[in-house]
Amino acid sequence: MRGMQILAGAILIGAVSGGALLWRHGSKPQAAQTPQAVVAPAPVELSRSPTLTPSPTPAPFVVRHILPITKPLHHGDFVWDESGAPQGPVVITVDLAAQVVSIFRDGYEIGAAAIIFGADNMPTPLGVFPILQKDADHVSNLYDAPMPYMLRLTNDGVAIHASDVRYGNATHGCIGVPLGFARKLFAATRLGDRVIVTNGKRLEMGQSIVG
């Protein structure tokens, strides 16, 4: 795998602004109204440019558990173990340098796999991408090629999907994962879940993924 071994816990964090909105702070409760005298409201001067209320700050989403992977992941390998992982928001991280994808649910890593990605002339983009579309039986309209269990990340065709994950293979910018992993990933995600793609940025237990 280009001379690199993918070690357990080789996960990443995207250096992005805003991040994914995983939780929203609750709004403040309204004060109870008293059944006493009705007071006319004071006149309010309207601003010509009303100020928009800012979105709540996302709560931190930290790594709480990493799968105990004891061997390097080679092309075609993947691990999946949801035991002990609570329900919660899902974040997928992709490290192109380590050639690995991890899926976290409420901070618990539940799956990891070796990947293939875009060749130099068609690189996989870096950044934070929401899942825009899911299609288990998708066929590329650009290359007339099957893309099983496709999770679309961009409108110009970049996606995570099942591929023939072997050394030397590459994609047209997509992230290719083993078929068995793609099937489980497809079932565990929903539209709007965030995918963070970076190139060599990793984190440790207790560090924030998003937030």
Side-chain angles (χ1 to χ4, degrees):
M1 299 176 62
R2 302 182 184 177
M4 299 185 62
Q5 289 184 330
I6 303 175
L7 302 179
I11 49 181
L12 59 149
I13 177 170
V16 296
S17 60
L21 186 58
L22 300 176
W23 294 280
R24 290 184 181 274
H25 296 301
S27 58
K28 295 181 179 179
Q30 296 180 348
Q33 297 180 351
T34 58
Q36 298 180 3
V38 177
V39 180
V44 177
E45 182 179 353
L46 297 179
S47 170
R48 293 182 180 180
S49 301
T51 302
L52 298 177
T53 303
S55 299
T57 302
F61 182 16
V62 300
V63 178
R64 307 178 193 278
H65 181 267
I66 295 173
L67 289 173
I69 303 173
T70 58
K71 298 179 181 179
L73 290 175
H74 299 287
H75 284 97
D77 291 347
F78 74 90
V79 176
W80 193 279
D81 185 1
E82 298 183 52
S83 60
Q87 296 300 314
V90 167
V91 170
I92 301 168
T93 62
V94 179
D95 184 351
L96 301 184
Q99 301 180 46
V100 65
V101 57
S102 291
I103 175 172
F104 292 87
R105 192 174 68 203
D106 197 29
Y108 286 69
E109 187 182 31
I110 61 174
I115 65 169
I116 58 174
F117 53 94
D120 292 341
N121 61 330
M122 301 190 73
T124 299
L126 306 180
V128 180
F129 308 93
I131 296 176
L132 302 174
Q133 179 189 7
K134 297 178 62 176
D135 186 354
D137 301 308
H138 188 73
V139 176
S140 171
N141 57 5
L142 294 175
Y143 307 104
D144 193 27
M147 300 168 62
Y149 301 103
M150 184 273 295
L151 305 176
R152 183 183 299 279
L153 306 183
T154 70
N155 290 323
D156 59 357
V158 176
I160 300 175
H161 60 82
S163 295
D164 183 10
V165 182
R166 289 189 293 175
Y167 180 76
N169 284 2
T171 70
H172 295 97
C174 290
I175 298 159
V177 299
L179 177 61
F181 183 86
R183 185 181 296 115
K184 291 179 177 294
L185 186 66
F186 188 90
T189 55
R190 58 185 179 180
L191 298 181
D193 287 343
R194 298 298 176 106
V195 179
I196 305 172
V197 183
T198 67
N199 191 12
K201 294 186 178 180
R202 305 175 188 179
L203 49 81
E204 303 293 337
M205 287 283 293
Q207 287 187 300
S208 174
I209 300 175
V210 177

